[in-house]
Amino acid sequence: MHNAVDMTPPPVLSDAVTIELNAVLVALTENQPLVLTLEDGTLLPSGPFATEHPTLQIGVRAWVERQTQHPLGYVEQLYTFADRNRPASDGQRRVVSISYLGLTRERLSAGARDPEWRSWYRYFPWEDWRSGPSPLVAETILPQLAAWADAVSDPVLQRERRQRIEVRFGDGTENWNEELILQRYELLYEAGLVPEARQATDRVVPATGTNGQLVPVPGMPMRHDHRRILATGIARLRAKIKYRPVFFELMPPEFTLLQLQRAIEALAGRAMHKQNFRRLIDQQGLVEPTGASTSETRGRPAKLFRFRREVVLERAVAGTKLPLSRPI
Amino acid sequence: MHNAVDMTPPPVLSDAVTIELNAVLVALTENQPLVLTLEDGTLLPSGPFATEHPTLQIGVRAWVERQTQHPLGYVEQLYTFADRNRPASDGQRRVVSISYLGLTRERLSAGARDPEWRSWYRYFPWEDWRSGPSPLVAETILPQLAAWADAVSDPVLQRERRQRIEVRFGDGTENWNEELILQRYELLYEAGLVPEARQATDRVVPATGTNGQLVPVPGMPMRHDHRRILATGIARLRAKIKYRPVFFELMPPEFTLLQLQRAIEALAGRAMHKQNFRRLIDQQGLVEPTGASTSETRGRPAKLFRFRREVVLERAVAGTKLPLSRPI
DNA sequence: CCTCATTATGCTCATTCTTAGTATAAATAT
DNA sequence: ATATTTATACTAAGAATGAGCATAATGAGG
């Protein structure tokens, strides 16, 4: 590397580290957003980055495809971090984790136990607002967070905590921003309301119930920080669907507009107005009718659509608009 | 790490790699967006990630602050890549580069040669549309890209190339999307129109002028892939200013609304309608008047503003809207 | 002092977008 | 046949946006 004379840091040996790749692999089935898990749903798939992989992305694709027997469509880097909660001083090499978001069209080996596809709302039940405000927020989460805010005596800090709660969770019925899933998880972690927070070494102020005990919020935990990585992936996807047509990779080659709508709603965790959704979709020229219709549903048969070739080719830069506003 | 029996890849030694940290460090002075460079503007600052750094971000902060003698405000991870153009088979450890975007309030050591702050439009002159469409696009870039598209005989490929050019550059006067800076750079690279493309080992189809020679587009190159990293940082920043109040970190504690507008315009590379800008800004409650005004400018004195405390505290989730549309 | 150039700021207005419907069509289940 | 379900067309109120006019407050130059 370069060595500008007065810029060079004191000669320090850049240490050897080991790279671990993590994947948040997403699929959609029957209006459920699924994520691939291992070991009874407690881990995301991960694997080492090795010499045989020319690039990181090829590394991720290689072992995900081997594990799932399925070609991986869209792959996007999520985040890289080093040594969260892992000490480096025991003679072992430090581990740097690089996480990826992957989208795939169909799930496979349904019912398998390892790997197993699970709805991500098992991990984040409060994030599903498709049929209105999740009662978990108003009834369980907000009261406990309020207690956590009250637990600090300094009025300035208390006000800051209340503000942070309000921005992330709204009031339980309004001002819900589905993109803030990661920030919500992190706040719950900080408040000691998720089980993962107990094992952590850093200072955590646990919330206590009326009997002085920790009362974890419903939602399945994962090992290490994999639930946080999952939240990062969901957040990225929820943000991205609003301006890039990522759902290409999740949909079958032909679909009805309602299927498309339900797919996006599954990702966003919110319902959309049907007529407005259709208007936006065909205004944008993302899809074209195949000419056929389906009568798999009960009512009037729906036209089938496919994504337009030109848009698929340029999906990395093509724009989308959805009747999901970017709140505040 | 976990080891699900039928999931384990063939036992492969996860190889040791070296981590290198790169920084795109941005500041604003006199309506120019500046980036910190080394070695006569040919490199971005980079340094090794070493044992003494508990986390990656602390590592970046540590040596950037040592190099610039200036506290680093906002820091955000950009991208991680391994071995772009670097062979791994010579017995040396592979290098994984992790790049960061940093924002800082004031530049320092003005006029110093190393490190030196430079306007990023020296590297991407075609990206400055603040006083209308950049003539470089219509007069230099588009003709050469058109020649590059024509150079392929297969009509399907030719149409695809034309479409990619159109999406990224528009027609030279309209449909300019300032967020696509990275995709534009990559297209110029692919077309062989930037000098960096010549040294690359991968297959590059160089564009040729009328006399059969490579005609690079104006804009200073950098070594390695640092200009690409810079483009990544600018793209991230241009996208982010539209929905998060990142400009906090770049502005002085007090400023006029015109100063704020010029700052954002410098980042976006586009001009905004003054009255509409003001309307949006005060609708959102991002700033509050300090009560004072300034008469540093020639005309009517402008009120001074500061960012509101509440918004600064929650800047990671606070929203912004600017009269810069997210085109297509 | 007067006028002009310059910047700041208030206000309007037409257009487009968005939201939240109503209405109607075409199928299935009973 | 009738109720139910789904698809699709259309509309009207309200909000947001884009473009511009009008006025205010200052310094510079005569």
Side-chain angles (χ1 to χ4, degrees), chain A residues 187-242:
Chain A
L187 189 64
L188 292 174
Y189 188 102
E190 184 182 341
L193 294 172
V194 294
E196 290 97 321
R198 300 173 105 173
Q199 289 116 13
T201 53
D202 24 323
R203 37 137 200 78
V204 161
V205 188
T208 49
T210 44
N211 51 0
Q213 284 202 307
L214 196 89
V215 188
V217 160
M220 189 178 156
M222 298 182 98
R223 280 157 60 194
H224 308 315
D225 51 358
H226 285 200
R227 193 151 61 140
R228 181 193 303 266
I229 295 175
L230 176 55
T232 307
I234 298 172
R236 182 74 129 273
L237 195 46
R238 284 184 166 183
K240 202 139 188 171
I241 48 173
K242 296 189 188 168

Side-chain angles (χ1 to χ4, degrees), chain A residues 87-105:
Chain A
S89 48
D90 57 353
Q92 295 216 323
R93 282 206 296 258
R94 295 174 85 166
V95 174
V96 170
S97 294
I98 308 179
S99 51
Y100 278 81
L101 171 67
L103 305 182
T104 188
R105 194 150 293 152

Side-chain angles (χ1 to χ4, degrees), chain A residues 240-255:
Chain A
K240 202 139 188 171
I241 48 173
K242 296 189 188 168
Y243 61 96
R244 286 284 127 89
V246 278
F247 30 77
F248 284 151
E249 324 283 348
L250 296 166
M251 298 298 292
E254 302 194 348
F255 48 86

